[in-house]
Amino acid sequence: MAVVVAALLPVFILIVLGIVLKRSLMRLDTQWHGLERLTYFVLFPMLLIQTLVKADLSKVPVAGVGGALLLSALAMSLLCLALRPTLSRLGIDGPAFTSIFQGATRWQTFVGLSVAANMFGDVGLALASVAMVAIIPLVNVFSVAVLAHYASPEKQSGSAIVMTLVRNPLIWACAIGLFINVTHLPLPKLWHEVADALSRSSLAIGLLVTGAGLHLEGLLRPSAAAAIGVAFKLVLMPAVALALAVWFGLSGDSLAIVAICSAVPTSSSAYVLARQMGGDAPLLAQIITLQTMLAAVTMPMAIALAA
């Protein structure tokens, strides 16, 4: 447990530092909006590409790790959709449902990669890269489709949904990195020097932006919808993912990576998507804040179960 806490501590210190900076040195929303866009469109995609380019996928259980996380994300997505009529009867409208959906299915990659690297080094990053390929395209496609269907009374056309997905830099980054890895496309030394520099900065800046985006006022009176989003992501999804991973025969580092990637809070980029497509952004901000704070307790528990 001490190893887990030591790996998590730098991550949450950076998140707390983001909270402090937002309330002291960098109070303007425009400052964080610029960092958010830089991270989302440049730094983080480069991290995804470079991690996949350098990952030795032949030495990691791609099918087991990727399969467990893919199926757990799919299971949570289907569960949310199946519960939509029940949630509607509880007074949870379409936009609020999309926030629960995103809160229950998406993952905070900055936290996942940071913890994986802190605990297992390059092997952890290689295993986490499998998780990225398994989760990111699926949850982005599902999130956009759910927002398009439930967030607005005016349903978006199929072509509009497709264009939203086509413009998603994270899906492109996974595809490019995986293509280079599989084809063994040679890249010049200059590429690796620049890409490594950008990648190193992405995790720290991403965690600072995550902290700056938290809404602490939502911690005092969490809504029922927020509680559902928190329980689904921090309790139910890790349980499903670990059960699938054990069923696939995973153990050791591979099982721990599944625990890490399934137990992280939801992605802060989900909030951006909710604002763009008419979701309940304030509710999602509350879900992200609650998950991030509670993950300091639930993540060590999930990783300890996998040990």
Side-chain angles (χ1 to χ4, degrees), residues 57-233:
L57 299 181
S58 64
K59 295 183 179 179
V60 298
V62 175
V65 173
L69 291 168
L70 179 69
L71 290 177
S72 63
L74 180 61
M76 294 305 302
S77 300
L78 295 177
L79 175 63
C80 288
L81 292 172
L83 290 176
R84 170 63 188 134
T86 301
L87 296 175
S88 179
R89 287 194 290 271
L90 294 175
I92 297 175
D93 60 14
F97 170 72
T98 65
S99 293
I100 292 176
F101 184 91
Q102 287 206 88
T105 58
R106 300 187 66 144
W107 74 310
Q108 178 52 267
T109 321
F110 299 117
V111 176
L113 288 176
S114 297
V115 176
N118 289 347
M119 290 189 68
F120 304 109
D122 291 339
V123 174
L125 282 176
L127 288 165
S129 69
V130 175
M132 294 187 303
V133 174
I135 296 178
I136 288 176
L138 176 73
V139 298
N140 274 276
V141 170
F142 276 19
S143 294
V144 169
V146 166
L147 278 159
H149 186 76
Y150 292 105
S152 173
E154 297 181 4
K155 307 305 179 187
Q156 295 194 28
S157 64
S159 60
I161 296 175
V162 170
M163 287 306 299
T164 300
L165 293 172
V166 167
R167 291 193 296 265
N168 190 303
L170 306 186
I171 295 177
W172 277 106
C174 285
I176 293 170
L178 189 60
F179 174 79
I180 295 174
N181 185 298
V182 171
T183 60
H184 303 288
L185 186 68
L187 297 172
K189 180 181 178 181
L190 179 61
W191 161 274
H192 289 291
E193 291 176 347
V194 175
D196 286 339
L198 292 173
S199 299
R200 285 192 298 269
S201 63
S202 68
L203 288 177
I205 295 176
L207 292 171
L208 290 175
V209 171
T210 298
L214 298 183
H215 293 249
L216 299 182
E217 61 275 7
L219 296 176
L220 299 177
R221 294 182 179 179
S223 64
I228 293 171
V230 170
F232 277 17
K233 184 65 185 72

